[in-house]
Amino acid sequence: MKKGFVFDLDGVITDTAKFHYIAWKELAESIGITFDEVFNETLKGISRMDSLDRILAHGNQENKFTPLEKEALAEKKNDNYVKSLEDLSENDLLPGVHDFLLKAREHQIPCAIASASKNAPMILEKLGVISFFGHIVDPDTLKKGKPDPEIFIKAAESIDIKPEDAIGFEDAQAGIEGIKKAGMYAVGISATETLIGADIQVASMTELDIELLVSSK
Ligand code: BG6
Ligand code: MG
């Protein structure tokens, strides 16, 4: 029996992945770099500064900016991103998420958030679901980002669950890899991408049966 749930945030709990895409695209275009949705997939689950580094490398500008200038670019992207979340509310929870969290609570299954986003607490607050989570891992405390398993191991430990007794939910390839390396059961959530290595994949959380899921090996 599985005993705890670890959730990614962007693209799993709410569709902020599209706002990250829009904000990065705008920032990239302001410095003469273009990228498409295929490249954007490689940014999912990746920290803010690592995402900027990948975008600069994509545009052959990896040596163009000083660390301070890069900080300013990342801040500009984040300011725009945060602005686009102004009206975020419980209506922006992805399908099936609220019911799933209620059922987890009914079954007394502890839940934690393993997101690379420094905006996670603010977003969960706006979505009205922060009280469902026993812990939100602070990405500033991590040595390595996804696909390293550290964030998932920390999340499971924070709710007193061994990784092998936990289920991780992810929409990004880097996240699925991290969950599997942590020794956890991986639920991939995506209607468009094939998530390699996921133990099961669904298009949305409405397809998940919590009783069946916790009995997974
Ligand atoms: C992840 C997103 O959840 O958080 C990435 O998938 C994002 O796209 C990363 O870059 C960091 O987010 P933030 O909010 O700290 O810039
Ligand atoms: Mg995600």
Side-chain angles (χ1 to χ4, degrees), residues 190-211:
S190 177
T192 53
E193 304 302 314
T194 301
L195 296 165
I196 300 158
D199 292 293
I200 55 162
Q201 181 168 343
V202 291
S204 89
M205 293 226 342
T206 53
E207 293 171 40
L208 294 172
D209 177 324
I210 202 164
E211 279 95 9

Side-chain angles (χ1 to χ4, degrees), residues 39-167:
F39 176 78
N40 186 55
E41 280 305 308
T42 68
L43 302 180
K44 287 188 179 172
I46 307 300
S47 75
R48 198 180 302 168
M49 285 315 282
D50 286 351
S51 297
L52 176 61
D53 282 339
R54 285 186 187 206
I55 292 168
L56 294 177
H58 181 71
N60 297 316
Q61 296 193 17
E62 53 269 75
N63 300 317
K64 197 172 161 188
F65 299 100
T66 64
L68 262 181
E69 286 169 336
K70 288 210 292 188
E71 287 288 342
L73 289 171
E75 199 180 315
K76 192 170 152 197
K77 178 267 171 179
N78 191 56
D79 286 349
N80 280 335
Y81 172 64
V82 169
K83 262 187 214 136
S84 68
L85 302 182
E86 217 166 67
D87 297 330
L88 204 72
S89 74
E90 59 218 16
N91 299 329
D92 296 296
L93 286 168
L94 278 166
V97 171
H98 196 250
D99 279 355
F100 193 87
L101 292 173
L102 280 173
K103 287 216 179 89
R105 181 178 275 170
E106 258 169 54
H107 287 75
Q108 295 180 320
I109 299 171
C111 297
I113 290 284
S115 168
S117 175
K118 298 181 195 222
N119 293 299
M122 175 272 283
I123 291 172
L124 290 164
E125 192 78 63
K126 276 180 170 280
L127 295 169
V129 292
I130 198 160
S131 67
F132 284 99
F133 300 98
H135 188 76
I136 302 164
V137 177
D138 176 356
D140 279 339
T141 64
L142 302 172
K143 288 190 195 75
K144 284 187 178 171
K146 300 173 189 178
D148 191 273
E150 184 184 7
I151 190 169
F152 296 104
I153 294 170
K154 272 205 166 153
E157 278 173 355
S158 75
I159 48 171
D160 291 325
I161 303 290
K162 291 188 201 131
E164 63 265 34
D165 292 332
I167 298 182

Side-chain angles (χ1 to χ4, degrees), residues 8-12 17 44-45 146 170-172:
D8 174 46
L9 172 70
D10 296 310
V12 168
K44 287 188 179 172
K146 300 173 189 178
E170 258 291 351
D171 69 315

